[in-house]
Amino acid sequence: MAMVVVATGYGGPEVLSVVDEEPAAPGRGEVLLDVRAAGINPIDAKRYGGAFGADPGRLPLRLGVEAAGVVRSVGPDAVGPVGPVRPGDEVIAHPVRGAYAERLIVPASAVVPKPAGVSWAAAGGLLLAGVTATHCLNAVRVGRGDTVVVHGAAGGVGLLAVQLAALDGARVLATASPPRHALLRELGAEPVDYGPGLTDRLRALAPEGVAAAVDAVGTDEAVESSVELVADRDRIATIAAFRRGAELGIRLLGGGAGADPGTELRAAARTGLTDLVAGGRLRVLVAATYPLADAARAHRDLLGRHAPGKLVLLP
């Protein structure tokens, strides 16, 4: 039997429980993974929090959309984006369902090789944030010489968006609280404190104008300051402020109502991200790790204040 985290109801982290479940053998085009790390993401909390409905027929609800681990066995035609998947391969899997588990059946199409030398925790926390950041920067057409604002720059998506934009040759203005500023400077950004006067502080840093903005935090302040600073609303994107973003006519990305999921772009971005990590050009910052049995505590930390970077479960 294998440990699995499930939500037994809808509500806060108190609805999370650990149960025993034996996965089936992998079918055609599938892989059985011994999970070494599973990234924790806000979308997981939204699912058991009822943001996508509270149908009791969906319970118990499995959580987790990204994992890293070792291939235990494969079904027929288990071919991933870079070729056949074999037992013993160290891999990262995204998108998947139910990653909070000791063992997991995943589509081979979701599996890419884990870079050698990268920790399990970093591997488990790379891909959702990484493909989301890539989608955002692509959508607002960030390129060399652009000045781009990244709101929520110390979160999982924000930290990778900052680095990827800097690698593309952009000037990055990164909004975050003062304790995060030193890290953001280290990653190539110019940090800016959020709060009253944010637009004026950003305008003072970029009097020549701001080309694009990415909102990874979802506050009215983030999207409204972006609209004030960026002339072309098609070059402003949010992954969180769907209601206000729709009202303002900016780009909505991800899984929200009316948003562009970017499915093909995100899938294609996975190997590029692992190459950047393997080459030491992109860092995955892990704020904390937790055993699988402490998933509820991890989610309480997710919903509260925590250090910059990803929270990861280590089965």
Side-chain angles (χ1 to χ4, degrees):
M1 302 294 282
M3 291 173 57
V4 175
V5 174
V6 298
T8 57
Y10 294 96
E14 71 279 354
V15 304
L16 301 184
S17 297
V18 178
V19 299
D20 289 327
E21 183 178 302
E22 188 62 34
R28 184 171 297 277
E30 292 182 331
V31 170
L32 176 59
L33 195 64
D34 283 330
V35 178
R36 298 288 187 265
I40 297 171
N41 295 285
I43 186 125
D44 303 328
K46 289 179 180 179
R47 290 190 68 211
Y48 67 75
F52 305 114
D55 179 2
R58 297 169 60 207
L59 299 172
L61 188 65
R62 289 190 58 166
L63 304 169
V65 297
E66 60 179 344
V70 179
V71 175
R72 186 182 186 93
S73 60
V74 300
D77 301 322
V79 180
V82 301
V85 183
R86 298 180 175 87
D89 286 351
E90 296 186 350
V91 300
I92 310 175
H94 172 74
V96 300
R97 292 181 178 272
Y100 294 9
E102 288 183 311
R103 289 197 292 277
L104 178 69
I105 295 284
V106 302
S109 60
V111 168
V112 296
K114 170 187 168 292
V118 174
S119 72
W120 285 116
L126 166 63
L127 283 185
L128 177 61
V131 300
T132 303
T134 302
H135 187 193
C136 289
L137 297 173
N138 181 277
V140 301
R141 308 187 302 281
V142 170
R144 182 166 298 278
D146 283 338
T147 297
V148 57
V149 176
V150 176
H151 295 285
V157 172
L159 287 167
L160 293 179
V162 163
Q163 295 177 76
L164 292 169
L167 285 171
D168 284 340
R171 180 191 181 198
V172 185
L173 307 182
T175 71
S177 61
R180 318 309 193 207
H181 288 191
L183 171 62
L184 292 167
R185 288 191 190 95
E186 183 182 333
L187 297 177
E190 298 170 53
V192 184
D193 195 11
Y194 55 72
L198 173 62
T199 301
D200 291 338
R201 290 191 292 277
L202 290 167
R203 187 177 285 119
L205 284 171
E208 73 288 353
V210 173
V214 169
D215 165 41
V217 67
T219 63
D220 287 350
E221 174 188 66
V223 292
E224 290 167 7
S225 66
S226 298
V227 166
E228 289 190 55
L229 293 163
V230 180
D232 182 356
R233 295 194 183 189
D234 198 46
R235 297 193 71 185
I236 306 170
T238 181
I239 61 169
F242 297 115
R243 180 191 60 78
R244 189 68 178 121
E247 292 171 355
L248 293 170
I250 65 176
R251 297 179 69 96
L252 312 179
L253 307 179
D260 169 19
T263 305
E264 292 184 5
L265 186 154
R266 290 178 180 227
R270 293 173 297 180
T271 53
L273 290 162
T274 57
D275 287 346
L276 288 172
V277 172
R281 302 182 68 203
L282 185 67
R283 292 170 55 190
V284 182
L285 288 97
V286 176
T289 62
Y290 307 79
L292 202 61
D294 282 350
R297 177 167 67 90
H299 272 257
R300 286 191 289 271
D301 290 348
L302 176 73
L303 297 172
R305 297 180 64 87
H306 61 81
K310 292 283 295 194
L311 305 182
V312 180
L313 294 172
L314 300 179

